[in-house]
Amino acid sequence: MSKNLVIVESPAKAKTIAKFLGDDYKVMSSYGHIRDLHKKDFSIDIAAGYSPIYEIPAEKKELVAGLKREAKKADMVWLASDEDREGEAIAWHLYEVLGLDPAKTRRIVFHEITKSAILNAIENPRDIDINLVDAQQARRVLDRIVGFELSPVLWKKIKPALSAGRVQSVAVRLIVEREKEIAAFKSEQYYRVVAQMQPDGTDAKVNAELSPRLPDEAAARQFVTDCTSARFSVGDITVKPVKRCPAPPFTTSTLQQEAARKLGFTVAQTMMVAQKLYESGFITYMRTDSLNLSSLAIGTISKEIKENIGEEYLKIRKYHTSSKGAQEAHEAIRPTNIAMHDIAGGVQEKKLYALIWKRTIASQMADALMERTNVDISISNRAEKFTATGEVVKFDGFLKVYMESTDDDNSAAETRQSEGLLPAMTTGMGMKALEVTATQRFTQQPPRYTEASLVKKLEELGIGRPSTYAPTISTIQNREYVAKGEKKGEPRSFKIITLKGTKITEKTGSETAGMDKGKLIPTDTGVIVNDFLQQYFPSIMDYNFTARIEEEFDEVAEGKMKWSESIDKFYTRFHPNVTEVSNLRLEHKVGERILGTDPKTGRQVSVKIGRFGPLVQIGSTDDSEKPQFASLLKGQSVSSITLDEALKLFEMPRTLGEFEGDTVTVAIGRFGPYVKHGSKFVSIPKELAPQTITLDEAIELIRSKREEDAKKVVKTFADDPDMQVLNGKYGVYIAYHKKNFKIPKGTDAEALTLEDCLKIVADEANAPKKTTRSRRTAKK
DNA sequence: CAGTGAGCGAGCTTCCGCTTGACTT
């Protein structure tokens, strides 16, 4: 029997530590927090000094009972949760819930999972830091107050089931404001002039760019014309060394960014794959904001670089976390064993591992040394100068293994000219212009956020934590505040003026401007909720709200302020504000826009957010006659829809005629336009418009839908028409009384009898709802 | 891409941060 019980947060960590400690120690995991405010109740007793009412969630009861049993048996309980605010609170909740004896309880922390670090921690135990616990309670209570007081205001004023919170609402604000910047953006034209030059007496070619850029077509034309009679000569030549440093090792946020850029992963995908790598023991913990590498890791990385890359490539570096609110309970994300260059596993796991491996190695490698040469080329009849830039790598350093990507792919393309070595040139040397090209360009609108660039921005603002970046991104999409959208670009033509030899030609090119795919775009609901919150709760929406409140929590952690005082200061201002806004009698519904009057009825036409999303309304609820409603179509927006477009939506449903004795109608539903025939529905494809579709086209759709349905049915039974074996997205399944059932693996679906099917249905119904996995299997 | 095709009502929704399952008919 173990004399000691060690409790850590994660089971994977528990497994590793158990190996170091031997039989006298039993190591268990708390799986994060074991206690929290009730999921659905407010659970804060405001009158009793904001006292939180905690409960152990049902799914943790069994776990807690197990911990309690083992704690009773142990001579000493070591609380080894992370050394940050949340970790301290976990230790305290364990202490309280397990009813631990102070004489037989120790709080320990270690910064890396090595035998010496853990033994050292055990040699140096301390008490639970109650100030740090209080700072966590303040954080928890504040977030609950903000979320649970603000959200109901939105239900009342805008639409049910919406949500607001300290983190998510600011994330939405960033996206909404970026979209407003884009809408207000006016692109300006300029002319970029590049030339291909040849130093006299050589056949070398040099690419050079004019600086500054030219403002308009007239200037560009004048410049190119001037070039026909100009003499070009080499002016100043400057050679300077340039160095580049490697990026620091990965944190959660930078891993999410690089995996998005280099591998095309979503942030949720990155975290899932990283979790697998962590559980398999390939990488260190993946939710971290620390840039630190353990001394042991640095040792093995050095060895790896010296042995396999070269001693001159080694440069040991210490990185310091600069992001606000970093708590550094873990290491940076790195391979647990750097000598392992490749791992066994799926394609995604291999790719992500390779990325982490390279980044980690590169972070301890030497700077890359470059030599950049700038050559000015003067023009006899103009004040501007061309510049040719050459860059040669003198020592590749970390670039040998890894190079960080940037979000801005345009700038990379524009500077491509400056790569490589320049031919030998000397000041005063004459040059010939082989070709001069002036191209009309346009300034770029601000970029929309991607999931990863939003995470980066949130981290910069100190909002959210490594464990919440991915869930926050999911939440704002699930609430339909933002969506990954596609923006079709606008075609745009641009002018190119070229001088070749002595001949000037002009032509027009075309490109697509402002196209975007997979970027985060606010929905109508997102914009309206954001504007509402900003108008009535500006302090919560302030980008610095979290930073300011964190400063106060720091004071609580240092024992300079009581946590309830800090909450009281906030609540006495916030709560009256909530009450006031909640009781506000608004003249219009929030976000409503009046489009005009319906020419047919003379009634008012308006758009707003309804119970089920954006809608158009003819008439008002005050009228004696009931108003008419219609949902907006995909791609339409409350902020931009016109009266004509709105009225078109009421041309549905349209009756086309009869087919096989049933009426055929067209309408627009939740999932877009559809044809209804009797009780059957068929979606109308994009090529056909519901306004113009004919009866024949509709019948064609109905027929092809029938064909598809026929393919879907694998088997039916004469004795029971309700029982069907169908072919769906995930394979063959059984449909019975509007419910679906999966078929056991390895069954031949064709051979199923009605009895077989009924048995599968019955088994499913009898099966316990939640399979509580037996401890026997868990132990193994 | 299998299925869904509303809109008074009654009762529900909601936060952020720790951590993994056991599910994805």
Side-chain angles (χ1 to χ4, degrees):
Chain A
M1 199 190 73
S2 309
K3 292 195 222 86
N4 296 280
L5 173 65
V6 180
I7 306 176
V8 296
E9 288 179 41
S10 127
K13 201 168 170 178
K15 231 169 82 184
T16 318
I17 292 169
K19 276 190 283 186
F20 294 134
L21 288 175
D23 292 343
D24 284 346
Y25 292 82
K26 185 176 178 71
V27 187
M28 294 179 81
S29 161
S30 74
Y31 291 77
H33 278 291
I34 54 155
R35 217 167 51 153
D36 191 16
L37 303 176
H38 189 283
K39 232 176 99 170
K40 306 225 161 169
D41 296 338
F42 189 58
S43 294
I44 298 166
D45 192 339
I46 300 280
Y50 307 97
S51 166
I53 301 151
Y54 293 114
E55 65 145 26
I56 301 163
E59 68 272 15
K60 290 252 164 153
K61 287 251 161 78
E62 203 186 339
L63 170 86
V64 169
L67 288 169
K68 211 177 221 169
R69 251 193 326 270
E70 294 298 330
K72 279 237 158 62
K73 286 196 271 178
D75 297 336
M76 186 63 74
V77 178
W78 305 87
L79 301 174
S81 45
D82 296 342
E83 189 186 22
D84 59 10
R85 200 162 64 197
E86 297 296 326
E88 203 67 19
I90 288 172
W92 177 74
H93 280 299
L94 282 167
Y95 174 80
E96 294 268 309
V97 170
L98 304 182
L100 300 179
D101 174 357
K104 298 202 301 185
T105 306
R106 297 287 183 271
R107 166 79 172 123
I108 53 167
V109 293
F110 35 84
H111 301 106
E112 47 183 86
I113 308 177
T114 56
K115 188 164 185 173
S116 64
I118 292 159
L119 293 179
N120 185 40
I122 286 180
E123 294 292 310
N124 298 290
R126 59 168 173 85
D127 290 326
I128 290 174
D129 180 350
I130 200 68
N131 290 331
L132 198 51
V133 174
D134 282 348
Q136 191 274 347
Q137 298 203 81
R139 198 280 304 155
R140 181 69 190 91
V141 166
L142 178 106
D143 282 336
R144 173 54 65 94
I145 290 173
V146 172
F148 275 42
E149 293 214 351
L150 233 38
S151 299
V153 179
L154 298 180
W155 305 343
K156 193 171 166 187
K157 300 292 178 191
I158 300 176
K159 134 181 168 161
L162 291 176
S163 64
R166 174 176 59 82
V167 173
Q168 58 168 287
S169 296
V170 176
V172 174
R173 178 180 170 192
L174 286 165
I175 295 165
V176 171
E177 290 205 334
R178 180 56 52 87
E179 203 63 28
K180 287 183 178 170
E181 280 171 42
I182 290 170
F185 178 79
K186 287 208 172 53
S187 98
E188 280 171 25
Q189 65 154 348
Y190 61 89
Y191 275 76
R192 179 171 184 254
V193 186
V194 295
Q196 197 174 55
M197 317 284 279
Q198 190 162 60
D200 287 349
T202 73
D203 56 2
K205 283 171 184 167
V206 179
N207 290 319
E209 178 167 353
L210 186 75
S211 107
R213 291 160 164 177
L214 302 175
D216 53 33
E217 188 179 330
R221 195 172 284 136
Q222 182 61 52
F223 179 83
V224 174
T225 309
D226 287 350
C227 282
T228 57
S229 58
R231 279 174 294 108
F232 303 94
S233 57
V234 175
D236 288 347
I237 301 176
T238 51
V239 181
K240 59 178 175 187
V242 186
K243 71 172 182 187
R244 284 174 71 173
C245 310
F250 279 132
T251 60
T252 304
S253 137
T254 52
L255 178 69
Q256 288 171 350
Q257 291 159 40
E258 272 292 89
R261 290 187 288 235
K262 284 204 157 88
L263 310 176
F265 288 3
T266 63
V267 302
Q269 212 179 349
T270 300
M271 294 314 281
M272 249 170 55
V273 177
Q275 175 88 26
K276 274 194 200 156
L277 292 173
Y278 168 67
E279 283 171 12
S280 313
F282 294 139
I283 61 167
T284 55
Y285 198 59
M286 65 284 156
R287 290 188 276 265
T288 175
D289 49 21
S290 170
L291 297 175
N292 192 48
L293 296 174
S294 73
S295 45
L296 204 74
I298 290 186
T300 56
I301 294 165
S302 309
K303 189 164 168 272
E304 173 72 27
I305 295 171
K306 271 193 254 175
E307 285 175 7
N308 292 323
I309 304 175
E311 183 134 25
E312 69 277 24
Y313 283 95
L314 177 66
K315 184 179 179 187
I316 297 195
R317 298 162 191 268
K318 276 264 168 203
Y319 295 94
H320 298 285
T321 309
S322 59
S323 66
K324 282 185 207 165
Q327 298 188 22
E328 309 224 18
H330 303 95
E331 270 190 78
I333 305 170
R334 62 164 173 90
T336 46
N337 176 12
I338 203 83
M340 190 151 54
H341 293 198
D342 192 14
I343 52 146
V347 182
Q348 293 191 328
E349 281 125 85
K350 280 173 177 290
K351 280 187 183 165
L352 194 68
Y353 181 81
L355 191 65
I356 295 168
W357 189 89
K358 286 183 196 162
R359 175 92 164 206
T360 309
I361 286 275
S363 78
Q364 299 304 319
M365 286 176 69
D367 293 338
L369 302 176
M370 263 81 71
E371 191 178 83
R372 183 175 298 156
T373 309
N374 277 316
V375 177
D376 284 344
I377 299 164
S378 50
I379 311 161
S380 59
N381 54 0
R382 303 277 306 198
E384 298 98 334
K385 283 185 169 114
F386 278 108
T387 308
T389 307
E391 196 173 275
V392 274
V393 177
K394 291 287 179 185
F395 175 60
D396 54 358
F398 75 94
L399 290 176
K400 202 174 179 79
V401 294
Y402 179 86
M403 168 111 119
E404 190 178 34
S405 304
T406 55
D407 283 322
D408 194 0
D409 33 10
N410 292 323
S411 68
E414 298 259 299
T415 53
R416 203 178 307 140
Q417 290 239 328
S418 71
E419 282 164 20
L421 189 66
L422 290 177
M425 284 178 272
T426 50
T427 304
M429 199 179 202
M431 302 280 275
K432 191 165 77 183
L434 302 175
E435 190 173 314
V436 177
T437 309
T439 311
Q440 187 183 21
R441 307 299 310 148
F442 299 88
T443 50
Q444 299 270 340
Q445 63 181 26
R448 291 192 171 87
Y449 284 103
T450 61
E451 286 191 357
S453 69
L454 183 62
V455 167
K456 182 180 180 187
K457 185 71 189 174
L458 288 172
E459 189 187 37
E460 281 168 13
L461 293 168
I463 299 171
R465 302 281 315 132
S467 66
T468 59
Y469 295 138
T472 301
I473 301 280
S474 301
T475 299
I476 61 176
Q477 291 180 75
N478 290 339
R479 298 268 175 280
E480 296 179 345
Y481 288 148
V482 306
K484 275 189 213 157
E486 270 181 51
K487 286 272 176 186
K488 278 196 216 137
E490 299 284 322
R492 178 168 71 189
S493 63
F494 61 95
K495 201 144 203 150
I496 310 164
I497 306 170
T498 310
L499 166 69
K500 199 164 187 176
T502 53
K503 212 175 131 207
I504 297 175
T505 49
E506 296 195 12
K507 62 177 180 180
T508 307
S510 72
E511 61 185 353
T512 313
M515 188 180 66
D516 238 342
K517 217 177 152 183
K519 301 288 179 61
L520 297 170
I521 299 174
T523 62
D524 281 332
T525 313
V527 174
I528 288 166
V529 167
N530 177 70
D531 292 355
F532 176 81
L533 290 173
Q534 279 214 77
Q535 184 180 351
Y536 294 107
F537 302 99
S539 63
I540 304 289
M541 299 299 282
D542 192 313
Y543 291 132
N544 291 316
F545 176 69
T546 292
R548 268 201 290 272
I549 208 83
E550 282 288 344
E551 275 173 24
E552 236 165 69
F553 294 161
D554 284 346
E555 287 195 24
V556 173
E558 288 161 23
K560 291 182 194 154
M561 192 195 283
K562 273 187 72 183
W563 79 266
S564 54
E565 269 174 41
S566 145
I567 295 298
D568 192 60
K569 238 169 78 185
F570 167 75
Y571 191 77
T572 47
R573 291 178 55 170
F574 176 70
H575 185 69
N577 189 200
V578 170
T579 316
E580 186 197 340
V581 175
S582 188
N583 293 334
L584 222 53
R585 296 189 137 249
L586 302 167
E587 200 180 322
H588 291 297
K589 191 175 159 73
V590 177
E592 186 178 28
R593 210 161 68 86
I594 314 288
L595 296 181
T597 47
D598 175 18
K600 272 190 226 146
T601 59
R603 304 172 78 194
Q604 187 187 71
V605 181
S606 58
V607 274
K608 63 182 181 188
I609 299 290
R611 171 82 177 74
F612 300 97
L615 60 79
V616 198
Q617 180 178 335
I618 299 183
S620 103
T621 29
D622 309 330
D623 298 353
S624 54
E625 198 188 331
K626 271 195 175 179
Q628 278 182 282
F629 299 97
S631 293
L632 263 62
L633 293 177
K634 240 186 176 173
Q636 289 181 325
S637 143
V638 168
S639 56
S640 65
I641 193 169
T642 62
L643 181 61
D644 281 352
E645 287 166 343
L647 291 173
K648 275 226 173 68
L649 298 171
F650 290 92
E651 289 167 11
M652 304 294 142
R654 211 154 61 88
T655 304
L656 295 182
E658 292 223 335
F659 174 57
E660 295 177 351
D662 279 318
T663 323
V664 179
T665 54
V666 192
I668 292 165
R670 180 148 65 127
F671 312 103
Y674 65 93
V675 171
K676 189 176 178 210
H677 176 233
S679 61
K680 296 242 187 243
F681 296 89
V682 190
S683 289
I684 298 175
K686 276 198 268 296
E687 303 84 70
L688 297 169
Q691 287 86 4
T692 56
I693 192 169
T694 62
L695 181 60
D696 286 345
E697 285 168 336
I699 291 171
E700 188 53 42
L701 287 178
I702 294 166
R703 287 211 170 105
S704 60
K705 167 85 168 160
R706 277 184 191 164
E707 248 172 63
E708 233 172 76
D709 287 352
K711 263 190 249 162
K712 193 183 84 177
V713 179
V714 176
K715 215 162 180 181
T716 51
F717 304 96
D719 292 344
D720 191 347
D722 289 344
M723 178 69 79
Q724 286 183 308
V725 181
L726 301 176
N727 204 349
K729 193 162 85 173
Y730 308 112
V732 186
Y733 66 100
I734 291 173
Y736 187 59
H737 289 156
K738 303 224 158 191
K739 275 195 171 173
N740 297 327
F741 303 88
K742 68 176 161 197
I743 295 172
K745 269 196 186 141
T747 318
D748 179 8
E750 292 285 344
L752 282 170
T753 63
L754 180 58
E755 284 67 35
D756 293 337
C757 292
L758 283 169
K759 186 168 178 302
I760 291 168
V761 170
D763 285 354
E764 176 70 29
N766 292 334
K769 273 207 167 162
K770 260 190 188 161
T771 45
T772 40
R773 251 166 104 72
S774 74
R775 291 179 52 80
R776 261 172 296 138
T777 43
K779 259 186 188 167
K780 225 168 47 175

